[in-house]
Amino acid sequence: MTIGGGLALIIIGAILTYAVEFDISGLDIRVIGIILMAGGLVGLIIGLVRLASARRRTPPAVREER
């Protein structure tokens, strides 16, 4: 999951949790929003760790000797 995907899940989850006043029988919209926010947070952390580890891996310097 990318950083943008994680942020999108957090935003959608926050909207469902705090802004939606719709009731569906058998489903709790607030719990679904919290689950989406938690998944987005995990995805965001994974994306940041992958980005940091990719930056640490720098190719070795190539030296040409004649």
Side-chain angles (χ1 to χ4, degrees), residues 7-26:
L7 288 175
L9 283 178
I10 292 171
I11 291 169
I12 292 169
I15 290 171
L16 287 177
T17 302
Y18 302 115
V20 174
E21 296 284 334
F22 189 71
D23 289 329
I24 300 174
S25 79

Side-chain angles (χ1 to χ4, degrees), residues 8-48:
L9 283 178
I10 292 171
I11 291 169
I12 292 169
I15 290 171
L16 287 177
T17 302
Y18 302 115
V20 174
E21 296 284 334
F22 189 71
D23 289 329
I24 300 174
S25 79
L27 290 175
D28 190 3
I29 297 292
R30 292 178 190 238
V31 172
I32 294 171
I34 291 171
I35 291 170
L36 285 175
M37 285 192 294
L41 183 63
V42 169
L44 181 66
I45 291 171
I46 290 171
L48 289 173

Side-chain angles (χ1 to χ4, degrees), residues 41-66:
L41 183 63
V42 169
L44 181 66
I45 291 171
I46 290 171
L48 289 173
V49 167
R50 287 180 59 197
L51 181 67
S53 68
R55 287 191 181 186
R56 266 188 252 138
R57 281 187 261 137
T58 57
V62 178
R63 296 175 68 186
E64 289 187 28
E65 294 183 21
R66 294 183 186 208

